[in-house]
Amino acid sequence: DPEMSRGLGDVYKEDYTLVRGRLTQKLDSTCYLQKDNAKNKVRISDRPWEHGKSEEIHSIFYPVKKNDDYTLVKVELITGKSHQIRAQLKHLGYPVVGDTKYGIPEVNRYFSDSYHVKHQLLHCGNIIFKETDGPLSYLGGKEYSAFLPEPFRTIEKDLFGNLDNNFSKIRILSLIHISEPTRHLRIS
């Protein structure tokens, strides 16, 4: 079920991403999303769209590490819609590094040339299965996680140095390339 992998239902999921801009404090954001199926893109607004269907989206963004130009952000999805993290962060003025759909081309080019980044830096973090009945009951109460992969780890070190906030010790699940939808994530 793709909704479950987005932190809804019986699963809790955290994501980590690198954004352009300095996020200095927790940002609890509720916006409205309107999907353009023909372009496979979404638009975000602070109010519901007058024409066409719009859906309320809600995310909480926490700065983990920051410098003058970039922030490593922990994302907590309250709702889970396609493109939500990327489009909402762009709307708020913090585009995801490496995102060719909603990001900044010059920033993406720099990270592609310097670190061979070919996808947005979005990393699925701690995934926790609540106690449940049904086909996923064997996962109830379990937590899966893994460390940041390359090149994310190198970029983190280069941008933020060895700051003493233990982010490298945070357990993270796996890198999700957005060209591969989240629903393809498999836990075994």
Side-chain angles (χ1 to χ4, degrees), residues 18-182:
L18 181 67
V19 300
R20 178 75 164 99
R22 183 178 172 89
L23 179 64
T24 59
Q25 61 188 8
K26 172 184 160 184
L27 180 57
D28 189 328
S29 173
T30 299
C31 299
Y32 295 86
L33 176 146
Q34 186 178 61
K35 179 124 176 139
D36 181 339
N37 289 319
K39 294 181 181 177
N40 191 29
K41 220 171 168 181
V42 300
R43 298 186 311 165
I44 305 291
S45 174
D46 293 326
R47 293 178 298 283
W49 295 93
E50 290 184 24
H51 303 288
K53 179 183 176 188
S54 62
E55 299 180 74
E56 185 177 276
I57 58 173
H58 183 192
S59 304
I60 305 172
F61 304 102
Y62 302 88
V64 177
K65 288 185 176 182
K66 59 191 168 290
N67 64 24
D68 289 340
D69 299 312
Y70 296 95
T71 306
L72 184 61
V73 177
K74 178 178 119 176
V75 180
E76 181 181 347
L77 289 175
I78 308 304
T79 58
K81 304 294 180 193
S82 294
H83 302 240
Q84 177 174 332
I85 295 170
R86 300 156 55 202
Q88 192 171 18
L89 281 166
K90 169 69 174 187
H91 173 75
L92 296 168
Y94 302 99
V96 172
V97 169
D99 186 353
T100 58
K101 197 165 283 212
Y102 302 103
I104 301 171
E106 297 77 19
V107 170
N108 296 343
R109 195 169 14 267
Y110 169 78
F111 282 90
S112 176
D113 292 347
S114 300
Y115 297 98
H116 308 290
V117 170
K118 304 297 181 209
H119 51 81
Q120 67 266 68
L121 295 177
L122 180 61
H123 187 79
C124 177
N126 288 332
I127 188 165
I128 302 165
F129 293 87
K130 298 175 188 172
E131 296 294 338
T132 184
D133 295 326
L136 295 179
S137 62
Y138 69 97
L139 292 172
K142 294 185 180 168
E143 179 176 345
Y144 293 86
S145 52
F147 291 100
L148 284 175
E150 290 297 342
F152 212 142
R153 192 174 328 161
T154 298
I155 293 168
E156 175 205 9
K157 183 179 177 191
D158 288 355
L159 289 178
F160 309 112
N162 292 322
L163 302 177
D164 186 29
N165 71 0
N166 296 321
F167 178 71
S168 294
K169 295 178 183 174
I170 292 175
R171 296 169 303 162
I172 308 297
L173 175 64
S174 64
L175 182 64
I176 294 179
H177 301 273
I178 295 307
S179 61
E180 301 171 10
T182 305

